Amino acid sequence: MQLNETQVLVKETARQFAAEMLAPTADQRDEREEFPTEAVKKLGELGFMGMMVPEEFGGAGLDAISYVLAMEEISRVDASCGVIMSVNNSLVCYGLSEYGTPEQKEKYLKPLASGKMLGAFALSEPEAGSDASNQRTTATIDGDAYVLNGTKNWITNGYNADIVIVIAATKPSAGVHGISAFIVEKGLPGFTIGKKERKLGIRSSDTVSLSFEDVRVPATNRIGEDGFGFKFAMRTLDGGRIGIAAQALGIAQGCLDASIKYAKERKAFDKPIAELQAIQFKIADMATEIEAARGLVYSAAQMKDRGEKFSKAAAMAKLHASRTAVHSALDAIQIHGGYGYIREYHVERYLRDAKITEIYEGTSEIQRLVIARDLLRG
């Protein structure tokens, strides 16, 4: 695909940022489970925290292609920072930009898009993961406010977020038509943040549970009409899947980069292992799968930019890119041999980071359902 000047600049800026700001500390932050506070602040200054938000609301006013280019370059070095950026862009800023009121955009979207605030998206619950319609968190109208009660699980950015978009049932008996979305500010009475989860991968990003006990949220903080929450969540997740697909693509590319570098340097049988056909075939297969994933990701982003329906395309991109990330990480470790199993050579981190891309924002099984239902609908 031919990139325009702006897209090339975005790609180069993201690559330079990743090399200079993320690469030197990525392994250390992974080891310590340390949030990249300064890096996230810098991402905001670069316009990477609200890339597709119009400039009038504090964003960069860029297209989805620019977004996936930046996501790929950031995740190529540090997938933890990539998911922090993805959540703020895809799940928080997008929803507010598309469906927020002018007042909500002024109060929340502007600081979120400019990186002055950080957002999180709370949909998953102990009994509502892939079955997102099974919302147990409730929001009951009381005068000019809604009273929230319930628990949310696996919330990326939840510990460090300033605001959280919470999906809750306003009319539990109405099923998916009785679910609404709310902007909930950190620090409200009854809003409790649980301990940070200790994770296999993306350890430099924070993941927590959130509890709501009689939390009063102004009715003006509801997004869209009452009962719009489930549609809001599903439409938001469609765009989010493009972001995670780009994250997976970046991880896979990082694996290929590391494998090529190591294969040229490491010698066996008196020659670089890059000259061994077994290694060459692994690298060739890895590169081919990555290019196929890149085509799917870019295609989904282009469809989004053109205003076309892109649910199936996003699901295909995420399904293939996440699988490619895991396979690429496994092959990278195999190419590195024993060195691939130790932390010094980075590729074991790529494997730990890659696996979650097959799980969050819709498991691979859910992506297959989305694809199949679209194909069989006619």
Side-chain angles (χ1 to χ4, degrees):
M1 186 184 73
Q2 187 69 38
L3 303 180
N4 62 38
E5 289 184 10
T6 299
Q7 291 163 346
V8 170
L9 178 61
V10 167
K11 184 179 178 71
E12 291 176 349
T13 301
R15 180 174 294 186
Q16 183 179 0
F17 171 83
E20 295 177 359
M21 191 80 182
L22 299 178
T25 61
D27 286 334
Q28 183 182 66
R29 285 185 285 100
D30 171 77
E31 177 76 23
R32 297 178 179 178
E33 302 181 59
E34 181 182 320
F35 190 82
T37 304
E38 290 303 313
V40 171
K41 180 181 177 181
K42 183 65 175 177
L43 282 171
E45 294 172 359
L46 290 171
F48 284 179
M49 295 301 281
M51 295 187 69
M52 296 171 286
V53 175
E55 292 182 38
E56 63 183 297
F57 294 116
L62 297 169
D63 56 15
I65 288 292
S66 296
Y67 171 52
V68 300
L69 289 169
M71 272 294 300
E72 180 183 348
E73 292 298 331
I74 298 299
S75 301
R76 189 174 180 174
V77 172
D78 184 359
S80 290
C81 202
V83 74
I84 295 165
M85 174 179 156
S86 177
V87 167
N88 202 74
N89 273 277
S90 298
L91 300 186
V92 180
C93 286
Y94 170 78
L96 288 174
S97 181
E98 288 292 309
Y99 305 108
T101 65
E103 293 77 17
Q104 289 169 350
K105 292 178 181 180
E106 184 68 31
K107 185 175 181 180
Y108 299 112
L109 182 57
K110 277 189 175 181
L112 285 163
S114 60
K116 294 175 183 176
M117 290 174 64
L118 182 66
F121 184 82
L123 173 64
S124 294
E125 296 183 1
E127 296 184 44
S130 293
D131 181 11
S133 64
N134 187 28
Q135 293 292 307
R136 300 296 179 87
T137 298
T138 60
T140 306
I141 191 70
D142 182 24
D144 60 355
Y146 282 86
V147 180
L148 268 62
N149 283 282
T151 301
K152 295 292 182 178
N153 276 18
W154 320 118
I155 310 305
T156 302
N157 294 353
Y159 187 85
N160 288 279
D162 299 287
I163 69 103
V164 182
I165 294 180
V166 178
I167 309 300
T170 47
K171 297 175 184 175
S173 61
V176 296
H177 303 293
I179 295 172
S180 298
F182 301 91
I183 304 166
V184 182
E185 296 182 20
K186 186 177 184 178
L188 288 176
F191 180 5
T192 306
I193 300 171
K195 67 177 180 64
K196 289 191 283 185
E197 302 290 353
R198 302 201 66 191
K199 300 173 296 186
L200 173 70
I202 55 166
R203 289 159 52 92
S204 187
S205 69
D206 63 278
T207 303
V208 298
S209 61
L210 304 175
S211 296
F212 306 93
E213 186 174 352
D214 294 332
V215 178
R216 293 186 65 85
V217 178
T220 53
N221 279 28
R222 190 187 66 209
I223 302 173
E225 298 298 320
D226 186 71
F228 178 63
F230 189 76
K231 285 185 179 179
F232 170 83
M234 295 303 102
R235 292 174 184 176
T236 301
L237 283 173
D238 278 343
R241 286 164 183 162
I242 295 176
I244 297 304
Q247 180 196 29
L249 178 61
I251 295 170
Q253 185 63 54
C255 292
L256 180 60
D257 297 341
S259 297
I260 291 172
K261 181 176 183 295
Y262 183 80
K264 289 179 176 180
E265 295 172 351
R266 170 70 165 156
K267 289 188 176 181
F269 309 106
D270 297 323
K271 60 184 177 181
I273 64 170
E275 295 183 23
L276 300 174
Q277 191 177 74
I279 301 300
Q280 292 174 354
F281 280 11
K282 283 188 181 297
I283 288 174
D285 286 345
M286 197 187 304
T288 302
E289 289 300 307
I290 290 169
E291 279 304 308
R294 184 170 285 117
L296 286 168
V297 174
Y298 288 10
S299 176
Q302 286 178 312
M303 290 174 71
K304 186 175 187 295
D305 283 334
R306 292 194 295 264
E308 299 172 8
K309 291 182 178 180
F310 62 92
S311 294
K312 182 183 72 175
M316 285 181 166
K318 184 180 181 297
L319 175 64
H320 184 69
S322 61
R323 182 169 52 197
T324 297
V326 173
H327 289 174
S328 296
L330 287 169
D331 279 345
I333 290 174
Q334 196 70 18
I335 289 168
H336 281 71
Y339 291 107
Y341 206 69
I342 62 176
R343 295 195 172 187
E344 183 181 350
Y345 283 77
H346 314 301
V347 288
E348 60 84 34
R349 172 165 60 86
Y350 287 137
L351 177 60
R352 291 187 288 106
D353 288 348
K355 183 56 192 173
I356 191 60
T357 66
E358 293 187 308
I359 299 172
Y360 59 16
E361 294 194 36
T363 63
S364 293
E365 291 73 22
I366 290 296
Q367 305 314 311
R368 292 184 177 98
L369 281 176
V370 170
I371 296 163
R373 286 172 180 172
D374 187 278
L375 291 170
L376 296 170
R377 190 170 289 133

